[in-house]
Amino acid sequence: MLRTQTVEPVSNELMEEIGFTWHTDPDGSAYVAPELLPVSEAEAEAYYAAANELYDMFAEAGQHVIDNDLFEELGIPESLVQLIKFSWDDDDWHLYGRFDFAGGIDGKPIKLLEFNADTPTSLFETCIIQWALLKSNGMDEAAQFNNAYEVIRDNFKRLITNDDGLEKFDEYFNGERILFSSVRDLPEDEQTTRLLQRIATDAGFSTDFCYIDEAGFLPDEGIFNKDQESTNFWFKLWPWEDMAADEPELVELLTEIGRKRTGVVINPAYTLLFQSKGIMKVLYELFPDSPYLLATDNKPLEGIKQVSKPMFGREGANVAIIDEQGDTLESTDGPYDVHDMLYQEYAELATDSEGRSYQAGVFFAWEACGLGFRRGSKILNDTATFVGHVIR
């Protein structure tokens, strides 16, 4: 049974001052718990090792999907397949993602639930807020598995400097400019995007921000900000599958931009392969003996407790827990039932004395770099609380 350590919360005024405006849920409760979850060094190191090993497995699984044309099995929109292949073949750089895990803090093994590879949030609270909890309570600021800011900053630099990065684009790009964009009227997405802009500025890039509807795109000239100034790289916090559904003409433009190498999108289109829950079935087929993977299929599993979830979904929507007889024990509604379902062996989340469940999130940017927890019911949804941690 988990026990947390109560601490003084960071004031709402300070959180708003640094841009963290979604600190209070609609019911008036605090989104960030005034608590820290003690984690041992060995537990933190195990999360680090799991994320690093799994990323290599995802890379192998992505190649398998491309080689065997399994895009439809993963629910990938046909309009994105060509751009996915361009971004994969040209080694467009994956900036960051977040692994979601069960286990690891309760004596149970770490199990991968999914990989938020394309548009992961919780970055602000992981990078900044849980560190601020330590600092404001007079605790050792280094007593966390939390160097996400620094590691993402270094990964931005790899866009240009890494041997496997984008040095080959020197013939196309004369400078290092990144345009950051998010969807209008979504404060959490905007502030997460602006945090990443701040990190890129620290990495030495020239940066700008505009809303997605203000950006411009031309196949021969590339990508432009709202003032019609061109940019080398475009970071967008907007799911690729949503773009394919809502803006098919933009997908066509970006495919031509990708073909002609007049601009590069971050995170690249191939991260949709990792974002799709369907990749979990591919991983399980390729690595059936991995201790991190749960049995997964695109049809119901026989005789075991399992979870059904859509190929593309967020915040626990359209998820069901199903018992060994096939009866639904618990489920959630949502807008993602338009996607095919995936079935994954059930993994019990760690719980505290009040029966609240804890799910670990580990950010990855070239390497694992930041741990945080979400707390809520058995199916974690958009009412879940963020819980920081401290290395004991």
Side-chain angles (χ1 to χ4, degrees):
M1 201 70 68
L2 300 181
R3 293 184 178 180
T4 58
Q5 176 181 344
T6 301
V7 292
E8 284 296 317
V10 178
S11 70
N12 291 347
E13 292 75 20
L14 177 57
M15 287 195 281
E16 289 180 6
E17 185 178 326
I18 62 177
F20 190 78
T21 58
W22 57 101
H23 49 70
T24 303
D25 289 333
D27 64 359
S29 61
Y31 164 56
V32 177
E35 303 161 60
L36 293 169
L37 183 63
V39 174
S40 71
E41 285 191 20
E43 289 167 338
E45 289 169 359
Y47 282 126
Y48 176 82
N52 290 341
E53 183 174 338
L54 281 163
Y55 193 86
D56 290 341
M57 294 160 61
F58 268 85
E60 189 170 331
Q63 188 66 63
H64 180 80
V65 169
I66 292 171
D67 291 344
N68 294 277
D69 195 23
L70 300 178
F71 299 100
E72 184 176 357
E73 185 175 325
L74 269 64
I76 304 295
E78 185 177 355
S79 61
L80 281 169
V81 170
Q82 199 169 26
L83 184 53
I84 287 171
K85 290 180 177 179
F86 288 154
S87 65
W88 185 270
D89 291 343
D90 287 305
D91 291 328
D92 287 357
W93 204 247
H94 187 188
L95 179 65
Y96 82 122
R98 191 193 74 237
F99 290 100
D100 288 342
F101 293 122
I105 48 173
D106 54 357
K108 294 179 182 177
I110 294 171
K111 295 293 183 181
L112 175 65
L113 301 177
E114 58 192 59
F115 184 27
N116 300 280
D118 177 20
T119 55
T121 52
S122 301
L123 182 65
F124 208 120
E125 41 270 61
T126 300
C127 273
I128 309 295
I129 302 301
Q130 66 170 344
W131 169 83
L133 278 171
L134 293 184
K135 183 176 178 62
S136 63
N137 280 272
M139 302 169 71
D140 180 2
E141 298 163 26
Q144 285 184 342
F145 169 23
N146 180 22
N147 58 338
Y149 191 105
E150 295 79 9
V151 173
I152 293 174
R153 180 192 61 204
D154 291 343
N155 215 27
F156 268 116
K157 295 177 182 178
R158 292 188 181 95
L159 287 170
I160 300 299
T161 62
N162 192 273
D163 290 342
D164 295 324
L166 302 180
E167 286 180 331
K168 58 183 173 294
F169 298 129
D170 285 348
E171 61 186 286
Y172 303 102
F173 300 150
N174 297 317
E176 291 85 34
R177 294 170 54 85
I178 305 180
L179 173 64
F180 289 81
S181 297
S182 65
V183 176
R184 193 184 295 270
D185 298 326
L186 293 178
E188 181 178 355
D189 286 8
E190 178 176 342
Q191 291 303 328
T192 299
T193 302
R194 290 186 182 275
L195 172 61
L196 286 160
Q197 180 185 2
R198 189 189 319 165
I199 298 173
T201 302
D202 285 353
F205 285 87
S206 172
T207 69
D208 192 13
F209 175 90
C210 73
Y211 295 112
I212 284 170
D213 60 86
E214 297 176 315
F217 309 89
L218 291 171
D220 293 324
E221 289 81 12
I223 301 168
F224 300 84
N225 67 8
K226 62 183 178 182
D227 298 320
Q228 299 185 335
E229 298 169 332
S230 63
T231 185
N232 308 138
F233 303 97
W234 182 46
F235 175 90
K236 50 92 198 149
L237 196 63
W238 185 26
W240 281 106
E241 72 273 17
D242 288 355
M243 186 191 301
D246 300 336
E247 297 290 343
E249 292 182 0
L250 178 55
V251 170
E252 291 181 12
L253 283 170
L254 289 175
T255 300
E256 285 305 300
I257 287 170
R259 185 199 310 276
K260 296 179 178 182
R261 308 313 293 166
T262 52
V264 174
V265 183
I266 312 167
N267 279 313
Y270 70 73
T271 57
L272 191 58
L273 301 179
F274 302 164
Q275 183 82 24
S276 169
K277 310 298 191 300
I279 198 73
M280 302 298 295
K281 175 178 181 289
V282 176
L283 284 166
Y284 188 68
E285 291 171 347
L286 293 177
F287 307 102
D289 298 324
S290 170
Y292 302 123
L293 299 179
L294 297 161
T296 310
D297 208 336
N298 55 10
K299 60 181 182 297
L301 304 168
E302 293 186 8
I304 66 170
K305 191 175 182 180
Q306 60 199 278
V307 172
S308 67
K309 48 189 173 182
M311 289 287 186
F312 297 104
R314 285 169 172 77
E315 297 183 323
N318 300 106
V319 172
I321 301 174
I322 303 167
D323 69 12
E324 293 83 350
Q325 289 74 44
D327 296 324
T328 299
L329 302 175
E330 192 172 331
S331 65
T332 58
D333 296 326
Y336 303 110
D337 54 359
V338 296
H339 299 291
D340 291 337
M341 302 302 290
L342 192 78
Y343 298 85
Q344 184 181 62
E345 178 185 356
Y346 181 76
E348 195 80 43
L349 297 177
T351 58
D352 60 21
S353 59
E354 297 181 37
R356 298 173 296 185
S357 299
Y358 290 73
Q359 176 181 287
V362 176
F363 279 93
F364 185 93
W366 177 257
E367 64 177 333
C369 57
L371 171 67
F373 294 90
R374 294 175 68 223
R375 180 175 73 191
S377 58
K378 287 187 176 181
I379 300 177
L380 292 173
N381 56 27
D382 59 0
T383 66
T385 301
F386 180 83
V387 182
H389 73 286
V390 60
I391 304 294
R392 62 173 183 263

